[in-house]
Amino acid sequence: ETGVTQSPTHLIKTRGQQVTLRCSSQSGHNTVSWYQQALGQGPQFIFQYYREEENGRGNFPPRFSGLQFPNYSSELNVNALELDDSALYLCASSSVGDTDNEQFFGPGTRLTVL
Amino acid sequence: AQSVTQLGSHVSVSEGALVLLRCNYSSSVPPYLFWYVQYPNQGLQLLLKYTSAATLVKGINGFEAEFKKSETSFHLTKPSAHMSDAAEYFCAVKKISNTGKLIFGQGTTLQVKP
């Protein structure tokens, strides 16, 4: 069974640029959630995708957007990058229908905005 | 609104000593509760979860936690600390009716001294 994978592992961008982060969900999972973890903080929920549609969103501006593909993999896109977007971005997969909807996390993508 | 408070951003124990990491939650309805561990430059690994079954929950690596509704607490304990337990620990809450959106505390860094 393959776990959650994310790419790239590290990324450096400059302010104003756009970035795309990728996530492959664990085998058998149909839901993907994205979290932002700033240095020294707990993860903050960005949004969740189920059946290729956004299924819940946290307190993040519209320049944070996502996609889910038919194979349940997902992308997180961030436009007009700001310095405060520097963080570890975590993807978690889960399966709607599991009684407790446990989320399994990937290793994260470390984004640095200069 | 749900929230999680982890008391103590840093906890230091000696190897072999009791580990106690505190977590209090705020929720209008009984939630699901989780403890995750994060090692440097890695994603989150689930230690244990409370999903309205037994109030004393046993997890991996010898950790356990007790759900106390009257105290709105879900403290994490381990009888004897090991050097390999040094990591960041996060308590998280999720509405039972919500398919996603884990709400995390700020985290507690556990230091284990030889």
Side-chain angles (χ1 to χ4, degrees):
Chain A
E1 182 179 272
T2 305
V4 179
T5 60
Q6 294 185 242
S7 62
T9 55
H10 294 83
L11 203 52
I12 299 175
K13 292 286 189 178
T14 56
R15 195 169 50 183
Q17 286 188 312
Q18 178 267 342
V19 69
T20 297
L21 310 182
R22 295 177 175 83
C23 171
S24 292
S25 60
Q26 183 166 307
S27 176
H29 287 176
N30 54 22
T31 302
V32 174
S33 303
W34 286 92
Y35 294 82
Q36 180 195 66
Q37 185 180 15
L39 197 63
Q41 304 292 319
Q44 299 286 319
F45 176 75
I46 303 175
F47 45 53
Q48 181 184 75
Y49 276 81
Y50 171 60
R51 290 185 175 176
E52 302 178 46
E53 292 189 359
E54 190 177 287
N55 179 41
R57 188 178 184 94
N59 188 27
F60 281 82
R63 60 189 185 83
F64 285 78
S65 63
L67 286 172
Q68 186 181 33
F69 300 98
N71 66 353
Y72 306 121
S73 65
S74 176
E75 287 182 355
L76 164 64
N77 299 288
V78 187
N79 294 321
L81 283 167
E82 301 177 358
L83 297 180
D84 285 349
D85 296 333
S86 294
L88 180 68
Y89 288 84
L90 295 165
C91 165
S93 74
S94 56
S95 182
V96 170
D98 283 354
T99 54
D100 55 12
N101 195 236
E102 179 178 336
Q103 297 187 20
F104 294 80
F105 284 81
T109 293
R110 174 76 61 188
L111 172 65
T112 301
V113 182
L114 302 176
Chain B
Q2 294 178 310
S3 66
V4 175
T5 302
Q6 291 184 238
L7 298 175
S9 58
H10 289 83
V11 171
S12 181
V13 301
S14 298
E15 191 174 19
L18 171 71
V19 175
L20 171 60
L21 304 182
R22 300 178 186 274
C23 172
N24 288 89
Y25 70 91
S26 172
S27 177
S28 58
V29 297
Y32 287 165
L33 292 157
F34 305 81
W35 274 100
Y36 285 87
V37 61
Q38 186 176 36
Y39 297 100
N41 301 313
Q42 294 188 26
L44 301 174
Q45 180 183 9
L46 181 68
L47 280 176
L48 48 78
K49 59 187 176 186
Y50 168 75
T51 56
S52 69
T55 56
L56 182 62
V57 180
K58 295 186 183 297
I60 62 171
N61 302 338
F63 285 93
E64 64 180 38
E66 185 172 7
F67 172 70
K68 292 187 177 181
K69 184 177 178 180
S70 61
E71 299 177 8
T72 60
S73 69
F74 191 57
H75 301 331
L76 181 71
T77 60
K78 182 174 180 178
S80 177
H82 192 272
M83 296 297 291
S84 61
D85 294 327
E88 187 83 11
Y89 291 80
F90 293 96
C91 181
V93 64
K94 182 170 78 70
K95 280 186 182 177
I96 295 173
S97 60
N98 195 325
T99 56
K101 192 177 181 179
L102 286 166
I103 297 171
F104 287 87
Q106 293 286 81
T108 297
T109 302
L110 176 64
Q111 179 187 25
V112 182
K113 298 177 293 186

